[in-house]
Amino acid sequence: MENSTVSYRVSDGVGTITLNRPDVMNAIDADTHLALQHALKRADHDPEARVIVLTGEGRAFCAGGDIKGMQGKTAFGDPSRVLSVGRDLIDLLVRTETPLIAKVNGSAIGLGATIALYCDVVCMDEEARIGDRHVNVGLVAGDGGAAIWPLLVGPAKAKEMLMTGRLISGKEAETMGLIAYALPGKELDSKVQEIADELKALPPYAVKATRASVNKLIQEATSSVLDLSLAYEHLSMKTNDHQEAVSAFIEKRPGNYHGY
């Protein structure tokens, strides 16, 4: 399966999903959001794929939401839906049975960080940056960040990172316990292959069921937060501060915020 924004390939038991918008650092727009969901479903039901690797084309893993595409918009996806389309992607990442390895080859920001952190094993270029900068564009960290960060690093550190929008290196993320491995970029492919080889050599049902068992905890924690945080995020999309933050980002200037 392949389209203009997401590709899927399988080789020797490893399915690779690649975000393919390198000109915008693999930012997620509405079409890419849906294409990624389709790719995850395809890979999870592919009998040839014992492991799924998720990565980005070019110099970034995923820069998160397409900020320029937010200008003038007050909603993401279909505004007639009660439950946000953002929930669909997070549900898939949690409920997919095939083990997921995130190969974070470059920046993973906002939704990009969330996508990586919901994978089972995160391998990251030690010089790449990761963080959730929703607040920096006047948005609530609603698309899963408010759920997964506290699970990985605890509520106190998660609140600091999410409320400031601070970016950290892969090395800092490993030290913090946010990711599994940070290593030089030239070693990233071999480390991902090593883990994939180890996983695909094991009895697949046992691996999948173990993933599903642990992810039950993640699913319950996510469900307790996600609908509320997504609702808050949609409300924040309607604020003047959000539009000012988007304009400030595009115009490369400080924002002028008033709290509404």
Side-chain angles (χ1 to χ4, degrees):
M1 185 202 79
E2 186 168 10
N3 63 28
S4 60
T5 62
V6 178
S7 66
Y8 172 66
R9 293 287 184 270
V10 61
S11 176
D12 195 24
V14 179
T16 301
I17 297 172
T18 305
L19 297 170
N20 189 26
R21 301 184 74 207
D23 54 321
V24 289
M25 297 179 65
N26 302 315
I28 304 287
D29 61 5
D31 289 341
T32 307
H33 208 280
L34 290 174
L36 178 55
Q37 291 181 48
H38 290 316
L40 283 165
K41 291 176 184 177
R42 167 72 185 277
D44 193 35
H45 290 88
D46 187 343
E48 295 184 25
R50 293 282 187 92
V51 181
I52 302 170
V53 174
L54 184 56
T55 192
E57 183 67 32
R59 62 190 178 94
F61 176 78
C62 176
D66 189 344
I67 297 176
K68 290 184 179 180
M70 296 176 185
Q71 197 164 30
K73 293 184 178 179
T74 59
F76 183 83
D78 182 356
S80 69
R81 282 183 52 130
V82 175
L83 296 177
S84 168
V85 294
R87 167 175 269 283
D88 298 337
L89 177 58
I90 301 304
D91 282 346
L92 267 175
L93 289 166
V94 174
R95 297 181 67 87
T96 294
E97 293 188 357
T98 309
L100 288 167
I101 302 173
K103 184 171 76 173
V104 183
N105 51 303
S107 295
I109 299 172
L111 178 58
T114 298
I115 291 168
L117 296 177
Y118 268 99
C119 292
D120 305 308
V121 183
V122 181
C123 300
M124 185 172 175
D125 184 329
E126 63 186 9
E127 299 298 327
R129 300 184 304 166
I130 189 169
D132 194 314
R133 293 179 65 78
H134 276 74
V135 295
N136 300 83
V137 289
L139 294 178
V140 174
D143 56 16
I148 195 63
W149 282 74
L151 287 174
L152 297 173
V153 298
K157 195 63 180 178
K159 283 187 288 185
E160 178 189 351
M161 297 300 296
L162 295 172
M163 290 191 300
T164 63
R166 187 179 306 140
L167 298 178
I168 58 174
S169 69
K171 198 65 180 174
E172 292 174 277
E174 181 188 47
T175 300
M176 188 187 294
L178 186 68
I179 66 169
Y181 299 100
L183 56 161
K186 63 183 180 181
E187 299 176 16
L188 188 60
D189 286 347
S190 60
K191 186 63 177 178
V192 169
Q193 189 63 54
E194 174 191 328
I195 297 169
D197 288 343
E198 184 176 7
L199 287 170
K200 72 182 186 180
L202 295 166
Y205 182 86
V207 172
K208 289 181 177 183
T210 298
R211 179 192 201 272
S213 298
V214 176
N215 270 19
K216 187 66 176 176
L217 296 172
I218 297 174
Q219 182 183 356
E220 290 177 355
T222 298
S223 293
S224 71
V225 173
L226 191 58
D227 287 335
L228 176 64
S229 63
L230 283 168
Y232 282 153
E233 183 176 10
H234 277 272
L235 286 173
S236 65
M237 287 179 184
K238 301 179 185 300
T239 64
N240 293 330
D241 277 355
H242 168 54
Q243 289 304 320
E244 166 63 10
V246 170
S247 296
F249 173 85
I250 293 171
E251 297 166 13
K252 297 180 169 43
R253 62 170 173 80
N256 183 21
Y257 306 120
H258 302 284
Y260 56 85

